[in-house]
Structures are given as structure tokens and as C-alpha cells.
Amino acid sequence: MLFLQQHEPEPILNWHTVCRQSLAAQRQKVVEQVLRGGTHAPTVPGLTDATLQDIEAYFDATIVELELACVIMLVAAAEAKVRLDARTRWEQHTDQLAKQLKRVFRRARLDEHFVPLYRNDEGILDAWQSFLSNLEQAPMSDVDRAKSAIGSLRNIYSFRNWIAHGRCWDARGGIDLQNYPPTEVANVINRLFAALRSTTALGKIAPF
Amino acid sequence: MPTTPFDDRLTQLVQAQQSAPIEWEKRRDSWRARVIALHDDIDQWLASVRATGVVKTIRTFDELEEQFMGRYDVPRMTIWVGEQQVILRPRGTLILGSYGRVDLEGAATQALLVLDYDGTNDIPSWRRVDQAKWCVVYPSERTVRHPLTESVFKDLLSRALGI
């Protein structure tokens, strides 16, 4: 599997690029098939007897679906990296962040997967932000920047939940698909990872 | 100036297009003629009920816009059966897997009429439009094409009217 134990955004974005290029090639092939009329078996079965407008609309919608799939993979991979790091910390370390994470996980008791990334002060990334707030000797600007980056995944996480739960609620009020292209989501995740790394450096604890 | 492989590929692409140019005006005219002929067939198939006034067929025009052909008019037919109507709406000749499509829209069912061609591709595309046969495609079985005959059309019209 391409992304097994792979939690960085870049390979997923590369996969997305390959898929986009393949879709563009397929779109070109189908449009040429219509214009030249040279073959009778449509290359996309669902588009049999489709007009050019139908075909363009189908491929436009397919690109949107591909972007949604890419976003959920990006967020899922980032979440896995944060969770795996959190488990290692509370199992193997005794610093303040490890203790906070241990409290968060003990509250969940039954299953560590029920521990959210964010939920008032009971999420994994809430523990990171709390740890940052208590770093008395760290420069305020660094702390604020890191806290902002750590919080920035929150909206995307809601978006991820919307997709992962089959879009079974009306998201139009709060979620604008245009705001979450894969490249922007990858940027947010890269900023999050950078912030977590800088937090461990500021707090002089095991690196993220 | 020496040419690069990239230059050669572009040149080959353009040469391939020039060797078999599509005559878009002829393609459009053939398609329009096939729609008119379809309407003529339908009028003939419904002649007895048209004669008694049970059925009226009205021909108007729809403006379509298709790539390379621009905007053009194609006939549309509306079949009135009492207060019920069935519309034969032309959708275009640039269709994936066929050479033209008319959507039949009734209150009870909808279907596609497509120009199906199974001959050689060695002839110009407008000739293929000329030689294609009208077939009925129902939404529930999009891969099955029923050659359009008088009895198939009457069955389709009955379904569209829900009778």
C-alpha cells in the first residue's frame, strides 16, 4: 500500500497529482472520442450517450471528489502521526506534556481512539496547547505562533468528519469546499507538524 | 533550426488532425436532417390518431450550442395527447458512444433516442450520422439499445404517457 505507515502530506499530494493527470488524460480521451467518433465502446461506461456538457460536468465533479478523498487521506495521516506520537509520550515519558496526555487518555478509559484531537480541554492537541501555555521561559511570540498553528487543524478536522460520516448532515452553513483544496490542507498540516516540533524544542522534551 | 522530439510530437498531432478534418457543417446538417426524418417517421406512425384529432404533433426549434458547430437550430417535437404532452428534445450530435441524441420526456417515463452506428470508421463522421440507426435507450438499462421501429415507438409513447 502506498501510504501504509506514511504520515507526511507530500506523498499523498504526489498521488493526488498523478490522479489529476490521469483524469485529465481520460477526459481528453473521452472528449476526443466524441469529436472523432472513432470508436463505439465508451471508455467510461457511466457516460454512455452523454453530451459534451454532461462529460465536462462529470469530470469536474470527479475532480472535486478526488480532492475530497485526498483531503480525508491527508487529515487521517496527520491524525495518525499525532496519535502515535501521543501514545509514545504518555507510555514512555514523564515530562509535563506526557503527564497531560496521560490524563487525557485515562479519561477515555475504554479506547484510546475515542480521544479526540480537539474537545474543550480534553483532546490531544488541546494538551499540546496547554503545555505551550505553561512554558514560562519560552518567547511569547513563538508560543502564540505555535498555538495558532496547532489550533488551525480544527476547522479542517470538522470538514474531515463531514466527509468521513458520509456527508450525512448539511454542511453548507459551515463548510465551504473551496476553502479546503488539498494543497492548502497540506500547508496547514505542515505548519501543524512544524509547530509541534518547535514546541518540543521550546519545552526541551522528546522531539515530535 | 533543429527540431526536438517535443516539436516532432506536436507536428505529428497537427498533421494527424489535418489528414482527417471533420466537416462540422456537414455533420451538423446531417444530424439536423436525421431529427427531421425522425419527426416525419413519428408523424407517419401516428397518422391514424392524428387524423382523428386524438393526437397532435407540433414542431418547433431548440437552439443548441456545440463545440466547433456554434449555435444552431434543431427541430423539437411535442406530442399532445389530450392534455398530456411528450417532448422530444434534441440534445446534440456530439454524444459519447453515438452520433446524436434526442431525449423523450413524458410524465410517466423518460428515454433517450440515440443514433447508433456500427459500420466502418473509414467514412466521414457526417456520413456515419446519415447511416446511423435510431435506437431507444431506457434509463434503467443504459447499455441496451432497442432499434426504433413503429411498434417500439408506440410502446415507448405508451410508457411515457403511463398507459
Side-chain angles (χ1 to χ4, degrees):
Chain A
M1 279 183 283
L2 200 56
F3 307 132
L4 189 65
Q5 296 179 337
Q6 172 56 260
H7 304 123
E8 296 293 332
E10 192 179 351
I12 298 172
L13 280 185
N14 290 344
W15 164 83
H16 175 252
T17 301
V18 170
C19 293
R20 277 293 295 261
Q21 289 169 341
S22 303
L23 267 179
Q26 180 73 348
R27 181 184 203 143
Q28 174 81 10
K29 190 175 167 187
V30 172
V31 169
E32 279 178 6
Q33 194 180 351
V34 173
L35 297 182
R36 311 297 296 185
T39 170
H40 306 299
T43 45
V44 182
L47 288 178
T48 304
D49 300 321
T51 64
L52 268 184
Q53 290 95 325
D54 295 337
I55 291 165
E56 299 291 357
Y58 175 82
F59 279 101
D60 285 346
T62 302
I63 288 169
V64 172
E65 292 298 337
L66 175 66
E67 297 208 333
L68 294 179
C70 186
V71 165
I72 200 167
M73 281 198 281
L74 285 165
V75 177
E79 182 176 349
K81 188 175 172 81
V82 169
R83 286 185 178 282
L84 290 169
D85 171 85
R87 185 198 291 162
T88 305
R89 283 182 194 283
W90 75 262
E91 283 183 349
Q92 299 177 11
H93 297 277
T94 56
D95 55 65
Q96 284 305 310
L97 176 59
K99 287 175 182 170
Q100 282 176 331
L101 286 169
K102 188 174 253 182
R103 276 196 294 276
V104 163
F105 275 86
R106 280 198 172 149
R107 272 190 216 118
R109 287 187 188 172
L110 294 175
D111 192 336
E112 66 176 283
H113 297 101
F114 288 142
V115 178
L117 294 189
Y118 302 98
R119 186 198 291 153
N120 300 325
D121 289 329
E122 297 175 9
I124 295 171
L125 291 174
D126 296 324
W128 279 84
Q129 288 186 314
S130 172
F131 174 71
L132 268 168
S133 299
N134 293 323
L135 284 179
E136 292 172 353
Q137 292 177 349
M140 212 52 188
S141 58
D142 290 351
V143 168
D144 287 346
R145 197 177 307 121
K147 284 176 73 174
S148 169
I150 291 171
S152 63
L153 194 69
R154 188 186 298 267
N155 286 340
I156 295 174
Y157 197 61
S158 301
F159 184 55
R160 166 249 182 255
N161 287 343
W162 177 70
I163 305 170
H165 292 280
R167 309 168 207 184
C168 63
W169 63 87
D170 185 358
R172 280 175 293 183
I175 294 172
D176 184 352
L177 301 185
Q178 303 296 325
N179 290 341
Y180 301 97
T183 47
E184 178 53 28
V185 171
N187 286 339
V188 169
I189 290 168
N190 281 326
R191 284 198 295 271
L192 166 71
F193 288 173
L196 297 181
R197 279 192 284 270
S198 74
T199 300
T200 59
L202 288 170
K204 298 182 176 62
I205 57 176
F208 175 75
Chain B
M1 184 185 292
T3 60
T4 65
F6 171 74
D7 296 343
D8 293 342
R9 283 200 301 276
L10 291 187
T11 304
Q12 284 168 7
L13 176 68
V14 173
Q15 283 173 345
Q17 291 166 354
Q18 288 170 341
S19 65
I22 297 174
E23 297 166 284
W24 293 110
E25 286 190 10
K26 287 186 177 177
R27 170 80 181 253
R28 181 198 61 206
D29 292 344
S30 291
W31 148 243
R32 193 158 37 195
R34 292 306 308 272
V35 176
I36 292 169
L38 171 70
H39 293 173
D40 290 344
D41 283 345
I42 291 171
D43 270 341
Q44 190 182 329
W45 294 334
L46 300 176
S48 59
V49 278
R50 285 174 58 234
T52 60
V54 169
V55 169
K56 286 180 186 167
T57 58
I58 296 173
R59 300 189 194 200
T60 53
F61 285 92
D62 276 359
E63 185 181 71
L64 300 185
E65 183 170 10
E66 293 195 274
Q67 202 165 343
F68 304 118
M69 288 175 278
R71 290 177 185 272
Y72 63 95
D73 288 338
V74 185
R76 170 213 283 224
M77 176 177 265
T78 305
I79 303 170
W80 285 94
V81 183
E83 293 180 348
Q84 281 201 63
Q85 63 173 339
V86 174
I87 298 170
L88 286 100
R89 190 188 305 280
R91 294 298 304 272
T93 182
L94 295 178
I95 301 294
L96 184 61
S98 64
Y99 285 83
R101 181 177 132 193
V102 170
D103 289 1
L104 184 141
E105 302 168 3
T109 195
Q110 302 196 341
L112 312 180
L113 300 177
V114 298
L115 278 171
D116 185 54
Y117 174 78
D118 60 1
T120 172
N121 287 325
D122 296 339
I123 60 174
S125 77
W126 62 270
R127 291 286 306 277
R128 285 176 247 161
V129 175
D130 283 347
Q131 296 180 13
K133 293 181 173 61
W134 283 109
C135 289
V136 178
V137 179
Y138 289 102
S140 56
E141 41 178 14
R142 289 290 292 258
T143 56
V144 181
R145 297 185 172 196
H146 307 273
L148 185 66
T149 61
E150 181 175 350
S151 63
V152 168
F153 179 77
K154 285 180 174 174
D155 177 59
L156 172 60
L157 187 60
S158 300
R159 290 198 206 190
L161 294 166
I163 55 176

mmCIF file of all heavy atoms in Angstrom, chain A residues 12 29-30 33 40 43 63 75 83 137 146 156 160 197:
data_model
loop_
_atom_site.group_PDB
_atom_site.id
_atom_site.type_symbol
_atom_site.label_atom_id
_atom_site.label_comp_id
_atom_site.label_asym_id
_atom_site.label_seq_id
_atom_site.Cartn_x
_atom_site.Cartn_y
_atom_site.Cartn_z
ATOM 1 N N ILE A 12 1.130 11.958 -0.394
ATOM 2 C CA ILE A 12 -0.310 11.969 -0.705
ATOM 3 C C ILE A 12 -0.597 13.030 -1.777
ATOM 4 O O ILE A 12 -1.376 12.785 -2.706
ATOM 5 C CB ILE A 12 -1.137 12.214 0.579
ATOM 6 C CG1 ILE A 12 -0.878 11.074 1.569
ATOM 7 C CG2 ILE A 12 -2.627 12.321 0.259
ATOM 8 C CD1 ILE A 12 -1.484 11.276 2.935
ATOM 9 N N LYS A 29 -9.271 11.953 -23.619
ATOM 10 C CA LYS A 29 -9.551 10.776 -24.445
ATOM 11 C C LYS A 29 -11.052 10.675 -24.763
ATOM 12 O O LYS A 29 -11.453 10.410 -25.899
ATOM 13 C CB LYS A 29 -9.088 9.531 -23.673
ATOM 14 C CG LYS A 29 -9.071 8.250 -24.449
ATOM 15 C CD LYS A 29 -8.467 7.161 -23.571
ATOM 16 C CE LYS A 29 -8.697 5.788 -24.142
ATOM 17 N NZ LYS A 29 -8.260 4.729 -23.214
ATOM 18 N N VAL A 30 -11.866 10.905 -23.734
ATOM 19 C CA VAL A 30 -13.320 10.800 -23.924
ATOM 20 C C VAL A 30 -13.821 11.897 -24.854
ATOM 21 O O VAL A 30 -14.625 11.642 -25.763
ATOM 22 C CB VAL A 30 -14.049 10.853 -22.559
ATOM 23 C CG1 VAL A 30 -15.553 10.950 -22.757
ATOM 24 C CG2 VAL A 30 -13.705 9.625 -21.731
ATOM 25 N N GLN A 33 -12.929 11.107 -28.243
ATOM 26 C CA GLN A 33 -13.786 10.002 -28.716
ATOM 27 C C GLN A 33 -15.104 10.558 -29.257
ATOM 28 O O GLN A 33 -15.619 10.108 -30.277
ATOM 29 C CB GLN A 33 -14.048 9.052 -27.558
ATOM 30 C CG GLN A 33 -14.621 7.714 -27.974
ATOM 31 C CD GLN A 33 -14.845 6.822 -26.778
ATOM 32 O OE1 GLN A 33 -14.429 7.130 -25.667
ATOM 33 N NE2 GLN A 33 -15.490 5.711 -26.997
ATOM 34 N N HIS A 40 -16.691 2.780 -30.810
ATOM 35 C CA HIS A 40 -18.086 2.641 -30.379
ATOM 36 C C HIS A 40 -18.230 2.318 -28.891
ATOM 37 O O HIS A 40 -19.294 2.464 -28.341
ATOM 38 C CB HIS A 40 -18.787 1.561 -31.197
ATOM 39 C CG HIS A 40 -18.665 1.826 -32.666
ATOM 40 N ND1 HIS A 40 -19.179 2.955 -33.249
ATOM 41 C CD2 HIS A 40 -18.054 1.134 -33.653
ATOM 42 C CE1 HIS A 40 -18.902 2.946 -34.546
ATOM 43 N NE2 HIS A 40 -18.213 1.854 -34.810
ATOM 44 N N THR A 43 -15.249 4.772 -23.195
ATOM 45 C CA THR A 43 -14.205 4.398 -22.242
ATOM 46 C C THR A 43 -14.669 4.587 -20.800
ATOM 47 O O THR A 43 -14.050 4.079 -19.895
ATOM 48 C CB THR A 43 -12.952 5.245 -22.483
ATOM 49 O OG1 THR A 43 -13.360 6.599 -22.664
ATOM 50 C CG2 THR A 43 -12.206 4.783 -23.711
ATOM 51 N N ILE A 63 -13.238 15.518 -10.227
ATOM 52 C CA ILE A 63 -12.059 16.194 -9.656
ATOM 53 C C ILE A 63 -12.367 16.657 -8.233
ATOM 54 O O ILE A 63 -11.525 16.534 -7.335
ATOM 55 C CB ILE A 63 -11.635 17.373 -10.562
ATOM 56 C CG1 ILE A 63 -11.003 16.812 -11.842
ATOM 57 C CG2 ILE A 63 -10.671 18.302 -9.844
ATOM 58 C CD1 ILE A 63 -10.785 17.823 -12.940
ATOM 59 N N VAL A 75 -5.730 14.354 6.206
ATOM 60 C CA VAL A 75 -6.079 14.582 7.614
ATOM 61 C C VAL A 75 -5.933 13.287 8.418
ATOM 62 O O VAL A 75 -5.435 13.302 9.553
ATOM 63 C CB VAL A 75 -7.511 15.162 7.736
ATOM 64 C CG1 VAL A 75 -7.895 15.340 9.192
ATOM 65 C CG2 VAL A 75 -7.602 16.488 7.009
ATOM 66 N N ARG A 83 -1.465 10.886 16.896
ATOM 67 C CA ARG A 83 -1.890 9.858 17.864
ATOM 68 C C ARG A 83 -0.734 8.930 18.241
ATOM 69 O O ARG A 83 -0.557 8.595 19.420
ATOM 70 C CB ARG A 83 -3.037 9.021 17.273
ATOM 71 C CG ARG A 83 -4.349 9.741 17.241
ATOM 72 C CD ARG A 83 -5.479 8.834 16.756
ATOM 73 N NE ARG A 83 -6.732 9.550 16.783
ATOM 74 C CZ ARG A 83 -7.444 9.782 17.888
ATOM 75 N NH1 ARG A 83 -7.015 9.321 19.052
ATOM 76 N NH2 ARG A 83 -8.568 10.460 17.833
ATOM 77 N N GLN A 137 9.357 30.146 30.189
ATOM 78 C CA GLN A 137 10.571 30.804 29.713
ATOM 79 C C GLN A 137 10.633 30.930 28.185
ATOM 80 O O GLN A 137 11.578 31.500 27.655
ATOM 81 C CB GLN A 137 11.799 30.036 30.218
ATOM 82 C CG GLN A 137 11.927 30.175 31.738
ATOM 83 C CD GLN A 137 13.079 29.383 32.298
ATOM 84 O OE1 GLN A 137 13.664 28.566 31.606
ATOM 85 N NE2 GLN A 137 13.375 29.627 33.562
ATOM 86 N N ALA A 146 2.958 28.986 17.643
ATOM 87 C CA ALA A 146 2.774 27.519 17.698
ATOM 88 C C ALA A 146 1.344 27.171 18.090
ATOM 89 O O ALA A 146 0.727 26.263 17.503
ATOM 90 C CB ALA A 146 3.764 26.915 18.685
ATOM 91 N N ILE A 156 -10.503 22.068 9.672
ATOM 92 C CA ILE A 156 -10.316 21.002 8.676
ATOM 93 C C ILE A 156 -10.762 19.663 9.258
ATOM 94 O O ILE A 156 -11.277 18.805 8.551
ATOM 95 C CB ILE A 156 -8.841 20.953 8.225
ATOM 96 C CG1 ILE A 156 -8.496 22.248 7.500
ATOM 97 C CG2 ILE A 156 -8.572 19.757 7.324
ATOM 98 C CD1 ILE A 156 -7.039 22.391 7.142
ATOM 99 N N ARG A 160 -13.186 17.014 7.727
ATOM 100 C CA ARG A 160 -12.855 15.588 7.610
ATOM 101 C C ARG A 160 -13.990 14.730 8.177
ATOM 102 O O ARG A 160 -14.368 13.705 7.611
ATOM 103 C CB ARG A 160 -11.540 15.305 8.345
ATOM 104 C CG ARG A 160 -11.233 13.841 8.594
ATOM 105 C CD ARG A 160 -11.344 13.550 10.091
ATOM 106 N NE ARG A 160 -11.006 12.167 10.389
ATOM 107 C CZ ARG A 160 -11.904 11.230 10.683
ATOM 108 N NH1 ARG A 160 -13.195 11.508 10.690
ATOM 109 N NH2 ARG A 160 -11.527 10.014 10.962
ATOM 110 N N ARG A 197 6.962 20.346 16.393
ATOM 111 C CA ARG A 197 8.419 20.169 16.514
ATOM 112 C C ARG A 197 9.027 21.336 17.288
ATOM 113 O O ARG A 197 9.881 21.144 18.156
ATOM 114 C CB ARG A 197 9.057 20.060 15.124
ATOM 115 C CG ARG A 197 8.935 18.668 14.511
ATOM 116 C CD ARG A 197 9.819 18.517 13.273
ATOM 117 N NE ARG A 197 9.234 19.191 12.124
ATOM 118 C CZ ARG A 197 8.394 18.593 11.261
ATOM 119 N NH1 ARG A 197 8.075 17.320 11.413
ATOM 120 N NH2 ARG A 197 7.906 19.264 10.255
#
